[in-house]
Amino acid sequence: MKLFSRRPITELAFAPPDPRPGRDGVALALIVRNEERHIGEWAAFHRAAGVSHVYVYDNGCTDRTIAHLRDELGVSLTVMPWDQKLFDAGTGREIHNQVLAYAHALRNFGGLYRWMACIDADEFLVPKRADSIAAALAHLGDVPSVTLPWHNFGRNGHVQPPKGGVLSNYTHRAADPISGARGVTNFKTIVDATRVTALKVHSYHVDGRAVTWNDRGQAAANKARGSRDFYSADHLQLNHYYTRSEDELAAKIARGSNQRVAAERHAARVRRNVANIEAEEVEDRCAIDFLRRVGASHSAAL
């Protein structure tokens, strides 16, 4: 008898939503659990970057994460209860809750916007030259999918959480985003949801094809995203604050994986990733530079 795989279902296909009349702007989908320490800064930054709406999937928050989001975003926030574990009845395979949230957001809300990005509370979309995310991508015309390489930040020498925000205290990142090192090289994607036909957490199919573009408008197959010729963060950079202080890293490990992974294996993987991120670092202040560029009224996020 053939044994079914117990690996989780991490890819979903669906019919894309129809474009809504007058669709425009940028929306974000975010799945969260107990991020109250830093979520206000995340929300204030993306409000400053011109995000039209945030669809937050509440994966069982028991702290003030949602309250802080409401304080910062007001009517530009929609909250979805998302505390669940779902399995395929025939095989017992878990359906990846994050992928399910992203598919729900794209299908139900994506038709309202030109762009939608599904990112995490430790990820910031940073315009490099323009004053908003939408303006940073305006030159791309009808491109449906833009790959954004991770720019990973580590502990920056902090043992305990420092006073002030993430952006002002964590200004050194892995020197080579496409080194190929585990935990360093990965991607998120900002998309036209009306052309998405399948997705994973880190990649999408558009118009039935596994293809994407960089922020210069250069196309490549998803499998070729890691090539040096394709790498670009000329217009929009994805900052990933993989960990913060050592204390917060220990807490990250203690929370465990969002998948069924043994605690020892999860801890070893996280520590390996941090070591790779911190092996060679460069200074990167682009997020701070953006906030200063758009005006002193946003300096509170620093």
Side-chain angles (χ1 to χ4, degrees), residues 98-145:
Q98 195 171 5
V99 173
L100 193 61
Y102 292 174
H104 182 274
L106 291 166
R107 171 65 194 178
N108 287 277
F109 310 116
L112 293 165
Y113 307 98
R114 169 62 180 95
W115 298 105
M116 179 169 265
C118 301
I119 62 174
D120 294 331
D122 58 6
E123 295 174 326
F124 288 67
L125 295 170
V126 184
K128 298 291 285 292
R129 306 173 186 176
D131 288 348
S132 71
I133 297 168
L137 300 174
H139 63 286
L140 294 175
D142 65 351
V143 163
S145 165

Side-chain angles (χ1 to χ4, degrees), residues 141-219:
D142 65 351
V143 163
S145 165
V146 180
T147 277
L148 304 172
W150 266 352
H151 292 71
N152 280 291
F153 293 71
R155 292 168 293 184
N156 277 233
H158 298 294
V159 175
Q160 297 176 331
K163 293 181 180 179
V166 171
L167 304 183
S168 59
N169 282 299
Y170 297 86
T171 57
H172 287 76
R173 61 164 173 86
D176 184 2
I178 53 169
S179 67
R182 299 290 295 274
V184 173
T185 301
N186 213 331
F187 311 89
K188 287 290 182 73
T189 312
I190 186 167
V191 295
D192 177 351
T194 68
R195 295 172 66 181
V196 174
T197 50
L199 68 91
K200 298 181 178 180
V201 169
H202 295 282
S203 65
Y204 295 74
H205 287 199
V206 291
D207 302 330
R209 299 186 299 152
V211 63
T212 190
W213 286 254
N214 62 20
D215 71 353
R216 296 192 304 264
Q218 177 184 352

Side-chain angles (χ1 to χ4, degrees), residues 278-299:
E278 296 179 349
E280 183 179 357
E281 296 179 308
V282 295
E283 186 176 27
D284 187 332
R285 303 177 67 87
C286 72
I288 297 171
D289 293 343
F290 165 75
L291 288 173
R292 288 176 175 159
R293 188 166 71 246
V294 299
S297 62
H298 303 303
S299 63

Side-chain angles (χ1 to χ4, degrees), residues 236-291:
L236 188 64
Q237 179 169 305
L238 177 60
N239 283 5
H240 181 214
Y241 297 87
Y242 180 81
T243 188
R244 301 172 184 106
S245 65
E246 171 60 29
D247 285 357
E248 289 168 284
L249 174 59
K252 178 187 182 87
I253 292 171
R255 284 195 300 271
S257 173
N258 61 3
Q259 296 294 305
R260 291 180 290 191
V261 177
E264 296 81 2
R265 182 182 170 196
H266 172 66
R269 181 173 61 190
V270 171
R271 288 289 181 185
R272 176 207 65 202
N273 291 348
V274 171
N276 289 341
I277 290 166
E278 296 179 349
E280 183 179 357
E281 296 179 308
V282 295
E283 186 176 27
D284 187 332
R285 303 177 67 87
C286 72
I288 297 171
D289 293 343
F290 165 75
L291 288 173

